[in-house]
Amino acid sequence: MLEMNRGADHSMSVNRTADFTLLRSYNPCGERYTCYPPSDCFRADFDVRIHEQQLRDRGRGLVPVSELALYVGDPRRQRSRNNAANDCSAELVNRELRLVAERVLVDRTVSRVDCRAVGGGELMALAGRDFDLHPSGAYTAFMELGDASADRVVRLVAQGFNHLRIDARCAPGAAADLKEAVDSARGAGFKTVDIVSDFPSVEAGGSGYELADIIAARADSVRWQAPAPTPVPSANALDVQRATLQVLDAAGYVYLGMDHFALPEHELAQARRQGRLHFGVRGYCAGHDCDWIGLGPDAISKIGSTYCRNEDNPVRYSELVDCGRLPIKYGVVLSQDDMVRQSVIHSLINHLSVSFEAIGMAYLIDFAQYFASELSLLEAFAHGGHVELNHEWITVMPHGRLLLPAVCGVFDRYRRDPAW
């Protein structure tokens, strides 16, 4: 476990109360900003026909052409399901994929696929049938550590996957198992191998692997993620996160933000340096903003200026798919204000900075005037050394990266003004 009594303790804890107050005040729901507006602000009266029209208009000059990604379900929702449920879900997801493909009339090139390993081979085959898989695309399989045997990872490579994400959350075991899984995946030919783990615990005997085990496995990137959405961390948890950042930094990992770390040569770290880092529903990825199609219960899709969210009730989801209808329950059409704020939030997450001029030119606004109240609120972050403010830029400082969700929350109109 982390040593919390070393000399760095004092420097980490000087502003712990102020930092926790900022995080709690500006990010009260623990929002991660994988989409904006936040998904719980999508509307039940959303007209699915708008989303279907956006799908049909892709590549016709009516909707700007962007990359297209396929994301299958939420891995967190699969952890408690048995194999029969997974098989049933895979069959329905494949049928939903066909329903979506029927509505995408032009520009069927897919550059990213991200799905759980169970049923992944079949999905890749179907995606290749219904869409055009880009030869240099990023195709990611997500699998639990206990399933990451050498023969299974070899089969995934043969099925077309080139990125592997190993879920080591709540899976205590021998450190050698974790390193062996990473080494096996590299030996099988995966381009990158990433680890998702529980955040190190303050208490001894916490679940998951210790930080030293994660470092010894030498995965290309590490992401801390709870098995289920969590509220804002406590002040103690912020201390642990600061200690974790220091240890991983000493081990050679670059902290990207939003609980993501990567080795300097990893494509994510390179993308940050080159201005090509993108943050979306599956975390950071290399490339630019893209449209994505979410498949499976509760999955989120983004096409053009619309977001939508599938039925989370498996029975209702199945009924809609059986009827040949897209299983959408909620959605939203982005307003001009949504798009401006989304650009600011994602610029902070992706580039750790925002250019007043760039946003102003893109949306024909006076940034300082439009965000006068938000800039006033950011003074508290500037006073604590979390951000640097001038008349042209907002820059997130190294000390402020742990509070990045709270910095983004300053620009979240839905959290600050629920009546909006």
Side-chain angles (χ1 to χ4, degrees):
M1 306 309 296
L2 289 172
E3 295 292 335
M4 295 302 297
N5 57 356
R6 57 181 184 274
D9 233 7
H10 176 70
S11 63
M12 287 191 302
S13 300
V14 168
N15 295 316
R16 68 192 302 269
T17 301
D19 289 358
F20 175 59
T21 299
L22 288 172
L23 187 58
R24 182 179 57 188
S25 299
Y26 295 99
N27 192 37
C29 300
E31 180 63 53
R32 307 305 293 169
Y33 294 108
T34 54
C35 63
Y36 182 86
S39 60
D40 60 356
C41 296
F42 295 0
R43 298 172 60 90
D45 61 355
F46 175 70
D47 187 346
V48 177
R49 292 173 296 181
I50 297 175
H51 176 69
E52 292 180 320
Q53 189 64 51
Q54 295 271 357
L55 289 171
R56 287 192 291 269
D57 286 344
R58 274 186 53 85
R60 288 180 164 180
L62 302 175
V63 176
V65 177
S66 59
E67 295 184 9
L68 182 63
L70 300 177
Y71 295 144
V72 185
D74 182 344
R76 293 173 300 179
R77 296 180 60 83
Q78 305 302 326
R79 292 172 61 85
S80 63
R81 297 185 178 184
N82 57 35
N83 289 334
N86 279 330
D87 292 341
C88 177
S89 177
E91 177 186 350
L92 286 168
V93 164
N94 294 338
R95 289 159 60 191
E96 183 189 357
L97 178 63
R98 170 51 64 88
L99 292 175
V100 171
E102 292 172 352
R103 291 161 171 81
V104 180
L105 304 181
V106 186
D107 190 24
R108 289 169 170 251
T109 301
V110 168
S111 58
R112 301 176 201 167
V113 174
D114 192 319
C115 69
R116 65 186 185 278
V118 177
E122 183 181 359
L123 176 86
M124 283 291 286
L126 292 171
R129 178 199 67 191
D130 295 330
F131 295 88
D132 301 319
L133 297 180
H134 196 285
S136 60
Y139 306 117
T140 304
F142 187 101
M143 69 189 313
E144 295 190 14
L145 177 61
D147 298 326
S149 62
D151 59 328
R152 284 178 175 171
V153 297
V154 167
R155 286 200 299 272
L156 289 172
V157 171
Q159 292 164 353
F161 292 100
N162 53 19
H163 295 253
L164 182 64
R165 190 179 305 119
I166 298 174
D167 185 356
R169 293 174 294 174
C170 299
D177 295 339
L178 190 58
K179 188 175 190 313
E180 181 181 356
V182 173
D183 291 343
S184 294
R186 285 208 179 100
F190 276 100
K191 183 179 178 181
T192 61
V193 185
D194 308 323
I195 290 175
V196 177
S197 180
D198 299 307
F199 217 99
S201 174
V202 178
E203 304 296 334
S207 63
Y209 284 83
E210 295 186 8
L211 186 55
D213 301 333
I214 301 291
I215 293 173
R218 210 58 184 174
D220 296 291
S221 75
V222 177
R223 179 181 180 184
W224 309 111
Q225 181 177 330
T230 55
V232 175
S234 65
N236 254 5
L238 282 179
D239 286 346
V240 174
Q241 291 177 19
R242 289 193 183 90
T244 299
L245 192 156
Q246 290 180 341
V247 173
L248 283 170
D249 179 72
Y253 282 87
V254 176
Y255 183 49
L256 302 175
M258 309 303 277
D259 297 337
H260 283 62
F261 297 80
L263 292 174
E265 62 273 17
H266 189 280
E267 63 177 16
L268 294 182
Q270 294 181 26
R272 164 63 59 75
R273 294 192 294 270
Q274 298 166 358
R276 299 185 303 104
L277 194 64
H278 170 66
F279 189 76
V281 72
R282 290 298 168 89
Y284 283 111
C285 62
H288 299 285
D289 192 13
C290 70
D291 287 340
W292 73 75
I293 296 171
L295 303 166
D298 208 28
I300 295 174
S301 297
K302 171 187 175 290
I303 300 293
S305 60
T306 64
Y307 281 109
C308 58
R309 185 173 183 173
N310 279 358
E311 278 282 351
D312 56 350
N313 184 310
V315 174
R316 179 60 179 157
Y317 168 84
S318 176
E319 290 174 349
L320 289 171
V321 172
D322 287 341
C323 293
R325 296 168 56 189
L326 295 182
I328 293 171
K329 185 175 183 179
Y330 303 108
V332 65
V333 178
L334 300 185
S335 67
Q336 175 78 0
D337 183 74
D338 291 334
M339 290 187 281
V340 174
R341 293 174 183 276
Q342 179 188 83
S343 293
V344 172
I345 289 170
H346 281 188
S347 183
L348 287 167
I349 295 174
N350 297 331
H351 311 303
L352 301 176
S353 63
V354 177
S355 164
F356 290 18
E357 182 180 15
I359 298 296
M361 290 180 63
Y363 296 100
L364 302 178
I365 62 169
D366 180 321
F367 188 97
Q369 180 179 347
Y370 194 93
F371 290 114
S373 63
E374 286 81 1
L375 292 173
S376 176
L377 293 173
L378 281 179
E379 291 291 346
F381 292 86
H383 180 73
H386 304 98
V387 302
E388 182 179 272
L389 285 174
N390 58 42
H391 297 299
E392 298 180 351
W393 290 86
I394 302 168
T395 304
V396 179
M397 306 303 289
H399 178 63
R401 294 189 187 186
L402 284 175
L403 299 191
L404 188 52
V407 177
C408 294
V410 171
F411 295 91
D412 184 343
R413 189 115 190 201
Y414 293 88
R415 298 292 184 228
R416 289 180 49 218
D417 182 8
W420 179 261

